[in-house]
Amino acid sequence: MLNYTIRRLIIAVPTLLFIALTIFLLLELAPGDPVANQPLTIPPEVRELMRKALGLGEPMHIRFWKWLVQFFWIEPQVFIDWLTTTSSLAPILPDTDFFIACGNNTAAECDPRILSWQFRSPVMDIVLQRIPQTLWVVGTAYLVAIVIAIPVGVYSAYRQYSWFDNAGTFVTMVGFSVPPFFSGVLVIVIFSVQLNWFPSIYDTMHEVNNWDSFMFQIKQMTMPVMVLALQITSQISRFMRASMLDNLNLDYVRTARAKGMTENVVILAHVLRNSMIPVVTVIALGIPQIFGGAIITEQVFKVNGIGEMLIRAIEANDIPTVQTLTFIFAVLIVIFNLVADILYGILDPRIRYD
Amino acid sequence: MFDAPADRKTLVEVRDLKMHFPIYAGLLRRHVGDVKAVDGVSFDIFDGETLGLVGESGCGKSTCGRAVLRLYDITAGTIRIEGEDISTMGQETLRKKRPTMQMVFQDPQASLNPRMTLAGIIGEPLDEHTGLKGSARRDRIYELMDAVGLNRDFANRYPHEFSGGQRQRIGIARALALHPKFIVCDEPIAALDVSIQAQVVNLLEDLQDKFGLTYLFISHDLSMVRHIADRVAVMYLGKVVEVAAREGLYADPKHPYTQALLSAVPEPDPVLHDTAERVILTGDVPSPSNPPQGCNFCTRCPQVFDICRLKDPQSREIEPGRHVACHLHNEPQAAGETAA
């Protein structure tokens, strides 16, 4: 298993490099001018200077190489410095100072970080500011969805074609097919406009420090979580149901019944444990979505998470931000694919990676 | 083995067992008919004997075996095991009764949970039905593994790591775990190759002698049934057409279907092979959802006559211990009586 993991990680390197190149070239080919948003009164030669200042004066391969260096060499240095000096692990780690910031005086040999063209601040810093909102909202939705979907899927399969199963099929069909820009607005109209139960806009600045503020946090999370969880529940509960149905009719289930096991043992110990194998894979493969944020739902509820950041960056032609975010998603997808494969090997004794 | 059945204790008594699977069709999924997989089967199994149940594919043998153990909710009929009627028993009471009646399944690969080790598979019934713990439980598992000839070192392996014959031994060990009296062997050798078949059948016979087991041995392999069974029941399209002691049945089959079935057994002697008269049946087995009127076999029977297409023959004891359901073996007035 260890050999397999290492081999997969080594294969991941060229894969990721290729993905980085693809993203870079796609963005390069896309039309759009990062200084197009500037006032029309700016003369063309000044615009050209602005483009050069953003680094667009250099040829394509140089810019790609610079981005690679920034992402794989300079940003990790910043991260290590942060770990050893400011994070909560700092006391136990030796202080490091790899990163030389570009101040006003040290222009000669400094390390430029990946800068957002919109904000002129490092992309990674913005990512770190945005990630808690996304993890709270989308992560909670994912957990809620798993907690609901698994029992629903199990029971629907166990009582196939019962009214519960039919109702579940209907709800999941709706959950699948209604897009979040509709369901989001719908819940806003119902729960904030008509019933006035929940705020329609997510307040990112809200700090949780006592019971009341915690309750407010729960309230403002409820609607985006509801909308997202509906979609994710639909997906996972269908997988769970299908996987349970595959297993319920297998001979070993009849064997378990013939042994005289209680129905709980038959369903939970025999069928569920075998049915979970593909479902766990689906859940693991879905985790990058949490980090990727739910672009539309974040827009509807004004949660300024990663998804919202990506949309804003695309609108503003902020190529470094788009490139970096997209690449981070690619890394997460590659990693969680590997995690899913390893989990499969652990859960299913018939699969061995040597 | 050849005692008169009358003075032996009946362990399993099946009367008029019916197992119909409903067919739903149409937009509203209305109940439009039934697949009559088992349609009025009656037989007795005496304590310590092996009853062979034979018939061609799809005739309801396996369904019958499962229904006898109430792995299905049966449509009608009674099943008594040790005098206790289990045909309408609730699943929970039935579950407590399971230790006395066990089953060995056809496909040894599919019938074992792929995520449980050998010790887990054999030990699970012990957790549920006995209080065995720790080393006592482990000793019992080892004892069972020894009984079926599995190496004790294999206890922590998974089913996919075994060969087909070994897996069937696991299935047998599992069935033996709770000291059952009655075991339904549902084609236990059909998925194994011939060299392994003999091993498993001999193992089943040894275990029968050792633990005094009673088997319902379901098979389509007539030679194997002749080897292991004391009495044989022949099924055709959901009904038992003939029940007889092994020797009598193989020497002198009464029912035309039994005759056809036995004539299909390959004859190893080339001289006899060339001269043997084979009864070749024409046509296909009718659908069990729409069996023919009268005798189920009337569409293919070489000796069919008028009454067969009108009246379903009742099973009659034509000799002691020999039941046949065929109009050929009914005396004319008796046939009239049963039909009335």
Side-chain angles (χ1 to χ4, degrees), chain A residues 107-160:
Chain A
E109 40 178 308
C110 69
D111 300 327
R113 298 184 62 186
I114 304 173
L115 292 183
S116 156
W117 288 348
Q118 300 174 83
F119 305 109
R120 306 301 297 155
S121 97
V123 172
M124 287 310 223
D125 289 1
I126 309 172
V127 169
L128 284 181
Q129 287 164 14
R130 298 295 186 100
I131 210 114
Q133 285 84 270
T134 293
L135 285 187
W136 265 109
V137 175
V138 190
T140 312
Y142 209 68
L143 284 180
V144 168
I146 293 170
V147 168
I148 297 174
I150 289 177
V152 167
V154 169
Y155 194 76
S156 299
Y158 185 59
R159 295 255 177 270
Q160 198 188 3

Side-chain angles (χ1 to χ4, degrees), chain A residues 251-252 254-255 257-262 265 269-270 273-274 277 347 349-350, chain B residues 66 95 98 102 105 110-116 121 124-125 128-129 160 174:
Chain A
D251 286 359
Y252 72 83
R254 194 186 307 122
T255 310
R257 291 216 172 95
K259 276 181 189 174
M261 296 291 114
T262 57
V265 175
H270 288 260
R273 278 186 57 197
N274 278 289
I277 297 171
L347 291 174
R350 285 167 296 185
Chain B
R66 289 171 195 165
R95 201 172 64 71
R98 291 250 176 246
Q102 284 290 325
F105 293 96
S111 62
L112 301 174
N113 187 335
R115 286 187 60 192
M116 286 175 92
I121 290 167
E124 200 185 24
E128 185 65 38
H129 295 284
H160 70 275
R174 195 220 83 236

Side-chain angles (χ1 to χ4, degrees), chain A residues 154-195:
Chain A
V154 169
Y155 194 76
S156 299
Y158 185 59
R159 295 255 177 270
Q160 198 188 3
Y161 302 134
S162 64
W163 70 265
F164 181 90
D165 183 31
N166 285 325
T169 305
F170 177 75
V171 172
T172 48
M173 215 65 94
V174 170
F176 257 141
S177 41
V178 176
F181 57 78
F182 180 79
S183 53
V185 175
L186 189 72
V187 294
I188 287 178
V189 169
I190 296 173
F191 293 107
S192 13
V193 179
Q194 302 287 334
L195 297 171

Side-chain angles (χ1 to χ4, degrees), chain A residues 1-6 341-342 345-346 351-354:
Chain A
M1 194 76 99
L2 186 65
N3 280 337
Y4 173 80
T5 312
I6 293 169
D341 283 350
I342 292 172
I346 293 171
I351 292 175
R352 282 282 167 269
Y353 303 118
D354 303 308

Side-chain angles (χ1 to χ4, degrees), chain B:
Chain B
M1 197 189 283
F2 232 29
D3 310 352
D7 48 81
R8 297 179 67 179
K9 205 178 115 219
T10 308
L11 185 74
V12 181
E13 188 186 311
V14 177
R15 286 290 169 272
D16 204 26
L17 177 67
K18 285 185 181 159
M19 183 66 235
H20 295 180
F21 296 99
I23 306 169
Y24 297 103
L27 200 58
L28 298 172
R29 305 203 43 80
R30 270 191 306 217
H31 182 196
V32 295
D34 293 291
V35 175
K36 293 169 182 160
V38 177
D39 196 21
V41 161
S42 304
F43 55 81
D44 292 332
I45 307 176
F46 301 108
D47 200 10
E49 77 162 356
T50 301
L51 177 71
L53 186 59
V54 298
E56 64 196 294
S57 324
C59 71
K61 304 184 296 286
S62 289
T63 308
C64 181
R66 289 171 195 165
V68 166
L69 290 189
R70 281 289 315 279
L71 290 174
Y72 294 128
D73 280 326
I74 60 171
T75 312
T78 56
I79 305 157
R80 286 175 192 280
I81 292 184
E82 292 183 292
E84 198 175 350
D85 187 354
I86 63 160
S87 47
T88 51
M89 213 176 236
Q91 284 298 331
E92 189 53 32
T93 16
L94 193 62
R95 201 172 64 71
K96 303 225 166 70
K97 187 100 174 83
R98 291 250 176 246
T100 50
M101 45 187 204
Q102 284 290 325
M103 188 152 186
V104 175
F105 293 96
Q106 174 171 8
D107 183 343
Q109 164 77 74
S111 62
L112 301 174
N113 187 335
R115 286 187 60 192
M116 286 175 92
T117 60
L118 175 43
I121 290 167
I122 302 178
E124 200 185 24
L126 301 175
D127 298 336
E128 185 65 38
H129 295 284
T130 68
L132 291 180
K133 289 255 164 4
S135 62
R137 180 174 176 275
R138 202 179 57 234
D139 290 345
R140 175 74 184 135
I141 293 172
Y142 283 152
E143 202 181 294
L144 288 161
M145 288 173 67
D146 293 344
V148 298
L150 284 167
N151 189 328
R152 289 184 174 199
D153 297 338
F154 295 163
N156 289 320
R157 295 201 186 169
Y158 288 96
H160 70 275
E161 293 168 295
F162 292 94
S163 71
Q166 285 172 321
R167 281 184 207 138
Q168 197 54 286
R169 286 163 192 269
I170 300 172
I172 295 169
R174 195 220 83 236
L176 290 175
L178 296 167
H179 304 289
K181 290 204 168 125
F182 174 50
I183 299 184
V184 174
C185 303
D186 181 6
E187 307 223 23
I189 52 167
L192 308 176
D193 55 60
V194 181
S195 57
I196 309 293
Q197 286 185 354
Q199 279 182 22
V200 171
V201 167
N202 290 335
L203 173 68
L204 285 170
E205 286 191 314
D206 292 346
L207 293 170
Q208 183 169 38
D209 293 343
K210 209 158 146 193
F211 301 115
L213 300 170
T214 305
Y215 292 140
L216 174 62
F217 191 90
I218 300 168
S219 182
H220 56 250
D221 183 339
L222 293 163
S223 321
M224 207 48 102
V225 169
R226 184 175 199 166
H227 176 71
I228 192 169
D230 301 313
R231 291 189 310 129
V232 180
V234 181
M235 264 186 96
Y236 180 78
L237 203 64
K239 297 196 181 210
V240 169
V241 295
E242 184 164 1
V243 186
R246 172 187 58 179
E247 296 303 330
L249 184 105
Y250 279 85
D252 177 24
K254 297 287 188 204
H255 194 283
Y257 179 64
T258 317
Q259 290 164 4
L261 206 58
L262 289 178
S263 83
V265 176
E267 173 56 60
D269 185 333
V271 179
L272 289 177
H273 176 88
D274 292 341
T275 55
E277 280 180 42
R278 294 199 54 203
V279 183
I280 310 284
L281 295 180
T282 52
D284 286 327
V285 186
S287 160
S289 58
N290 183 23
Q293 202 198 346
C295 175
N296 270 355
F297 191 50
C298 70
T299 53
R300 299 169 79 197
C301 184
Q303 300 172 49
V304 66
F305 59 104
D306 300 343
I307 191 167
C308 302
R309 297 205 176 84
L310 299 171
K311 304 270 187 307
D312 193 16
Q314 299 298 307
S315 185
R316 286 180 63 250
E317 190 164 12
I318 57 161
E319 287 164 23
R322 181 148 206 184
H323 299 259
V324 178
C326 181
H327 291 301
L328 287 173
H329 300 281
N330 283 1
E331 286 149 40
Q333 69 271 40
E337 273 167 33
T338 43

